[in-house]
Amino acid sequence: MRLLTLAAAIGLAFGVNTAQAEPVNLTLSGGNPGGLWSLLGAGIDRAVKQSDPNSVVTYQATGGGFANIGLLGANRTDTGLVHNAEVKIALAGEEPFKAPVNNMRAIGYMYNWAPMHFFLAKSIADEYNIDSLDDLATAKAPVRIGVNRSGNITSNVALFMLEQAGLTTEAVEANGGRIVQAGANDQAELLKDGRIDIVTNGVFVLHSSFRAIDENNEVIVLDIPQNVIDATNARFGTQTYTIPGGSYSNQPNDVETSALGALLVATDQMEEETAYDLTKALIANVDEIKAVHGSMKALTPELMADQDVLPFHPGAERAYREAGLLK
């Protein structure tokens, strides 16, 4: 009996000393089914499974970043993908939010390379000698400007950048032009049909929609004044990005602009150990996320930790510090 008791005590002590972390079991609110964010959801799930086969991240399709912030704010999802610009709007309690959303905590960046593009019909550029966004205001060209639908963050950013360059809606209309709100694919069709002169959007360089615009139309990529970039980055938490020269047919030189990024976000209700285990798994198995799409090849643990839009969740911060990614 004494030997059995001693063995049990040793076994208990051994179990305590070698206890394994609990499996991660979380929901992740993303975007449309089949889109990049759904692929990221699958990659994140594979990453946590590499660290613990019993872990699971269940992806749920939503209307995108603004919807995900609403779910996070109401503690109706564990994690969500959100754009940095959407976070800034939510923290300020601006439309579409009725009050500041303050319970969000960052797990890490997933990407920060979705630059704002402004494609202008080359015929208009040649006629009015336009090569920069601010030229549109001084040239007083009657341009019809396509921006994304209301509720899509690139619409907010494009309108702000236009205003910073002197092109308020009133100024555009005074010049004989107008603002046309349409989705990215619709903008491409409107440009092709000659119903708009400018396409704006913020996705990856050489995204399929951008390639279609470049291949089916004679367009230039407008330069963005530095003051517009600086104001946009301050307003939306975006970052300066260079579209390499030669990316598009009539773009011989580099174009600097502001780029949107996407973060994986939790709430302050998530247990510290859960956030720690999640982040540690993403750091260790980042290749699982990179593999979901060619546009994700630049993702690194260093990038994941390189954000200041939101406070890190304490568990995520601990994981990054242990990995030497935060000081």
Side-chain angles (χ1 to χ4, degrees):
M1 178 66 71
R2 183 179 301 170
L3 289 174
L4 287 174
T5 303
L6 179 60
I10 293 172
L12 179 61
F14 181 81
V16 169
N17 290 335
T18 61
Q20 297 294 312
E22 289 295 316
V24 171
N25 190 347
L26 301 170
T27 56
L28 168 60
S29 297
N32 295 327
L36 176 64
W37 283 10
S38 68
L39 298 178
L40 287 175
I44 291 167
D45 179 54
R46 290 201 294 268
V48 299
K49 280 182 167 61
Q50 283 293 316
S51 291
D52 185 337
N54 294 317
S55 290
V56 60
V57 173
T58 303
Y59 182 84
Q60 54 186 26
T62 72
F66 281 135
N68 295 341
I69 291 173
L71 292 169
L72 289 161
N75 288 301
R76 291 172 54 197
T77 189
D78 297 316
T79 60
L81 290 167
V82 300
H83 288 106
N84 43 15
E86 292 161 337
V87 169
K88 293 282 280 189
I89 289 171
L91 292 174
E94 298 170 2
E95 289 293 335
F97 304 102
K98 295 181 180 179
V101 181
N102 294 318
N103 70 330
M104 295 182 291
R105 298 292 181 267
I107 298 298
Y109 255 135
M110 293 291 100
Y111 60 82
N112 66 348
W113 51 83
M116 291 298 298
H117 288 57
F118 290 78
F119 291 102
L120 171 65
K122 191 172 183 298
S123 59
I124 298 289
D126 292 343
E127 180 178 355
Y128 289 90
N129 194 29
I130 296 169
D131 59 22
S132 178
L133 198 61
D134 54 347
D135 289 341
L136 288 170
T138 56
K140 299 189 181 301
V143 288
R144 298 157 298 175
I145 304 173
V147 301
N148 221 314
R149 295 188 183 94
S150 179
N152 186 299
I153 189 59
T154 62
S155 173
N156 300 62
V157 178
L159 289 171
F160 180 85
M161 294 178 78
L162 289 165
E163 289 174 2
Q164 291 298 306
L167 277 166
T168 62
T169 300
E170 293 76 17
V172 172
E173 293 175 350
N175 293 337
R178 60 193 175 98
I179 303 290
V180 178
Q181 292 196 296
N185 292 333
D186 293 333
Q187 286 187 58
E189 288 300 315
L190 291 170
L191 180 68
K192 187 177 179 180
D193 294 343
R195 288 183 284 169
I196 62 173
D197 308 299
I198 297 177
V199 169
T200 71
N201 204 10
V203 289
F204 306 134
V205 174
L206 290 174
H207 184 270
S208 58
S209 62
F210 289 162
R211 290 200 307 271
I213 289 168
D214 187 47
E215 292 166 3
N216 297 324
N217 306 273
E218 281 287 315
V219 293
I220 68 166
V221 181
L222 290 174
D223 289 329
I224 311 297
Q226 189 62 49
N227 67 297
V228 174
I229 296 171
D230 293 343
T232 303
N233 292 347
R235 171 69 176 83
F236 292 108
T238 49
Q239 296 178 317
T240 301
Y241 186 92
T242 301
I243 302 172
S247 295
Y248 304 99
S249 299
N250 296 304
Q251 186 226 331
N253 301 317
D254 291 350
V255 170
E256 284 204 339
T257 184
S258 293
L260 291 158
L263 297 98
L264 180 62
V265 173
T267 74
D268 55 9
Q269 296 299 301
M270 180 178 283
E271 294 289 337
E272 181 173 335
E273 287 304 312
T274 301
Y276 171 78
D277 291 338
L278 169 62
T279 308
K280 190 173 181 180
L282 299 182
I283 293 169
N285 305 300
V286 67
D287 286 347
E288 296 293 336
I289 308 171
K290 294 170 66 170
V292 303
H293 193 274
S295 61
M296 293 303 300
K297 62 184 179 182
L299 179 62
T300 63
E302 288 77 12
L303 174 77
M304 290 168 55
D306 186 21
Q307 72 82 36
D308 57 8
V309 181
L310 273 176
F312 277 111
H313 192 288
E317 182 175 352
R318 174 155 60 98
Y320 289 129
R321 290 192 188 282
E322 284 184 6
L325 299 170
L326 288 177
K327 295 180 179 179

